[in-house]
Amino acid sequence: MTKPAVPAYALSRSDYARTHDTPRAAATVTAVREDSPAFDVGIEPGMQVLRVGGRALTDMTVWFWEADGDEVELEVYDPTDDSVTPCTLERFPGEDWGLTFDGDVFDGMRTCVNACVFCFMTMLPKHMRDTLYIRDDDYRLSFLQGNFVTLTNMSDADVADVIEHRLSPMNVSLHAISSDVRRTLMGRNAARGIEVLEALMDAGIEIHAQIVLCPNLNDGEELMRTLTYCEAHPAITSLGIVPLGYTRFQKRFTGSYSDDPARARAVIEAVRPFQERARATWGRTTFQLADEFFLDADVPVPDAEHYDGYPQYYDGIGMIRSYLDEATEVLDHEHARVAQVAKELRARKQRMLVVSGAAARETVATLVEDPLIGGDVVAIQNNYFGGNVDVTGLICGVDLLDQLPENLAQVMLFVPDVMFNSDGLTLDGYHQKRLVDDLTQRGAEVYITSTMPRDLLLAWERALDIEPNEAHTD
């Protein structure tokens, strides 16, 4: 039996802070497509699938594996009458089963057993919502959602499950290779991570690895040792190197590469020979530095080819290059649409304001502040978390409200949707509706949207009621 295909939705960026996170022993059905195989046998939202193909449905990896054919046996629990009913679903080739479940794991998330000195969860202020403090380290979510996991809490049975069901690629937090450095960074379980990693690589599991680089802990000579280890293991097809991030709610760190441009440039130079050898040997860069290093060092980000198809995009690697290239395409090839937006703004005598984190401000400005558009990007400083936190996704409601002007009359305000979780909450607990109401009271027209160039252009057109036939493509 071959490894089943994983739907694209299962590989989307994970939502780390849902309001509710109650473990279940079964998969709750949230939607059933009409006229689907599931609909035909009477499955309804609210029911729970207990078993699939004879296996307990503990997570979506089980579903993808056991429901990969044209027929599947299920056991379904109906809470309305407390009954359990076996049923057989049949489908045509290429047809989906018509079921949507609530989440990806149904038997409880595997949590972290480490004591990482750089753990962001331990740097959060007190009294935030409970789900923000959950330190997930679940190998199944590594495969399903792209989460980075340390492998230190995996049993031999877990390792066998990954190998048997070909859960590849896996996203692995490596951080360092020397045992003493790993123990200092991660705690007493660090050795298990390497043991499991090597078992997976020996079995042919592809690895996307990650290093959180901490000044004076795992940089310098230790970084060279870790890079050399990765170079010797071609199963590691990408290695993301991201700088330490820290908040004001801790006492261990007072600086990172964001405070030391020379040190950031030294990291870029140290990694370059490994990148050059990888490209010569494997035709890929493999060793990927987070965008922050280039920003901190005031060095231009590499071209798109350098990023090997962006395997670690959601680890903050290649986002700037992707944005810059997409912005160029929009300005060069969607000129008529952009001009129509600018014309309508002038006619309405409105100002366009786009919100961004401090780190991305200049990048977003390449589109928004282009002379043809004439908009403005406002960078929100993250005073709530403090430290060196400056990314858009961590903007908090209190900072947004504090730093935007009180008078927003005649302003079309575009707020990035990555500020909000799936329940519409910011990290500091402001609901999207509350923020919109508060900003509307200041006079703004508020739009929640992705601020990627094409998405932003479409949001502008919709906000300005520009009909599709008016928004010509060059």
Side-chain angles (χ1 to χ4, degrees):
M1 190 176 188
T2 59
K3 171 187 154 188
V6 180
Y9 73 80
L11 298 177
S12 62
R13 180 174 57 87
S14 58
D15 177 11
Y16 287 101
R18 291 186 300 168
T19 308
H20 306 289
D21 195 11
T22 304
R24 299 174 299 278
T28 300
V29 177
T30 57
V32 181
R33 181 173 54 79
E34 191 171 348
D35 296 327
S36 66
F39 181 87
D40 291 341
V41 300
I43 297 177
E44 298 177 353
M47 294 181 177
Q48 296 180 335
V49 178
L50 305 178
R51 303 182 71 82
V52 53
R55 289 183 64 188
L57 185 47
T58 55
D59 58 77
M60 287 300 291
T61 67
V62 175
W63 177 262
F64 293 138
W65 187 264
E66 296 297 334
D68 190 42
D70 294 330
E71 181 176 300
V72 64
E73 302 287 338
L74 303 182
E75 288 184 15
V76 180
Y77 171 69
D78 186 348
T80 62
D81 60 8
D82 200 32
S83 64
V84 176
T85 304
C87 60
T88 301
L89 275 61
E90 298 178 350
R91 65 179 177 180
F92 297 111
E95 184 182 18
D96 66 71
W97 296 114
L99 284 171
T100 302
F101 298 115
D102 181 19
D104 284 327
V105 296
F106 314 117
D107 62 347
M109 185 183 294
R110 312 284 181 88
T111 53
C112 185
V113 297
N114 305 311
C116 294
V117 297
F118 49 80
C119 178
F120 197 79
M121 275 52 169
T122 65
M123 301 184 196
L124 297 178
K126 296 178 181 179
H127 311 306
M128 300 180 76
R129 59 184 183 272
D130 291 344
T131 51
L132 289 172
Y133 301 98
I134 296 173
R135 297 189 300 151
D136 63 281
D137 199 18
D138 196 316
Y139 74 92
R140 299 167 300 179
L141 294 180
S142 175
F143 173 69
L144 290 167
Q145 295 186 345
N147 294 13
F148 280 89
V149 294
T150 65
L151 311 178
T152 58
N153 63 356
M154 289 182 66
S155 66
D156 290 345
D158 294 334
V159 176
D161 179 53
V162 173
I163 294 171
E164 177 186 357
H165 296 115
R166 308 305 300 170
L167 303 186
S168 180
M170 295 289 286
N171 296 277
V172 178
S173 291
L174 180 59
H175 303 317
I177 193 59
S178 300
S179 57
D180 57 334
V181 178
R182 283 179 59 81
R183 186 179 178 92
T184 297
L185 285 170
M186 303 169 65
R188 63 182 181 178
N189 297 298
R192 175 62 174 168
I194 297 300
E195 179 183 329
V196 172
L197 173 62
E198 294 187 346
L200 297 180
M201 290 192 296
D202 288 346
I205 301 298
E206 180 184 357
I207 303 295
H208 296 302
Q210 177 202 63
I211 294 172
V212 175
L213 200 64
C214 304
N216 303 319
L217 288 175
N218 62 337
D219 57 356
E221 292 183 3
E222 180 59 25
L223 176 61
M224 294 300 98
R225 283 190 285 269
T226 307
L227 298 180
T228 299
Y229 174 87
C230 294
E231 190 174 48
H233 291 84
I236 300 175
T237 58
S238 75
L239 173 70
I241 305 165
V242 302
L244 165 73
Y246 64 94
T247 77
R248 62 188 174 93
F249 298 98
Q250 51 80 45
K251 297 180 180 179
R252 187 185 300 273
F253 302 108
T254 58
S256 185
Y257 302 91
S258 53
D259 312 298
D260 192 339
R263 197 165 199 163
R265 285 192 291 272
V267 172
I268 294 171
E269 291 304 314
V271 174
R272 181 171 288 118
F274 291 89
Q275 296 171 329
E276 292 172 349
R277 288 196 295 271
R279 188 151 287 283
T281 303
W282 300 313
R284 61 175 189 261
T285 305
T286 303
F287 301 89
Q288 302 278 3
L289 287 161
D291 295 351
E292 291 99 323
F293 283 107
F294 299 101
L295 293 176
D296 297 341
D298 195 23
V299 172
V301 296
D303 293 336
E305 182 184 17
H306 174 91
Y307 291 102
D308 302 336
Y310 301 99
Q312 299 212 23
Y313 181 85
Y314 285 118
D315 206 21
I317 297 177
M319 284 186 170
I320 289 178
R321 170 48 58 198
S322 177
Y323 195 102
L324 292 173
D325 288 352
E326 189 173 325
T328 298
E329 290 176 6
V330 166
L331 292 169
D332 289 351
H333 303 297
E334 307 288 354
H335 183 84
R337 294 174 64 191
V338 173
Q340 185 66 31
V341 166
K343 178 182 177 181
E344 188 64 30
L345 274 173
R346 288 193 298 271
R348 296 190 184 194
K349 298 181 179 179
Q350 287 182 295
R351 176 189 175 200
M352 180 191 294
L353 196 63
V354 178
V355 171
S356 171
R361 192 252 173 242
E362 297 305 316
T363 302
V364 178
T366 59
L367 174 68
V368 177
E369 297 183 0
D370 181 84
L372 178 59
I373 300 171
D376 292 295
V377 179
V378 57
I380 302 299
Q381 302 296 322
N382 203 310
N383 298 325
Y384 184 86
F385 286 120
N388 70 342
V389 177
D390 59 4
V391 298
T392 303
L394 298 183
I395 294 175
C396 293
V398 64
D399 289 330
L400 185 71
L401 292 172
D402 285 350
Q403 295 173 41
L404 286 175
E406 284 298 321
N407 183 1
L408 291 170
Q410 293 300 109
V411 170
M412 301 187 75
L413 180 66
F414 295 86
V415 178
D417 57 6
V418 294
M419 285 177 51
F420 305 94
N421 75 348
S422 59
D423 298 307
L425 291 172
T426 61
L427 286 165
D428 60 335
Y430 275 83
H431 195 277
Q432 184 179 113
K433 184 179 184 304
R434 178 184 172 191
L435 274 177
V436 171
D437 288 346
D438 287 349
L439 294 167
T440 300
Q441 288 177 13
R442 300 185 188 184
E445 290 182 26
V446 185
Y447 302 92
I448 310 297
T449 181
S450 161
T451 53
M452 289 298 294
R454 292 190 183 281
D455 296 334
L456 199 49
L457 176 57
L458 184 59
W460 294 340
E461 291 172 339
R462 288 173 175 169
L464 292 164
D465 298 319
I466 297 174
E467 297 294 331
N469 61 346
E470 294 181 69
H472 302 293
T473 299
D474 293 348

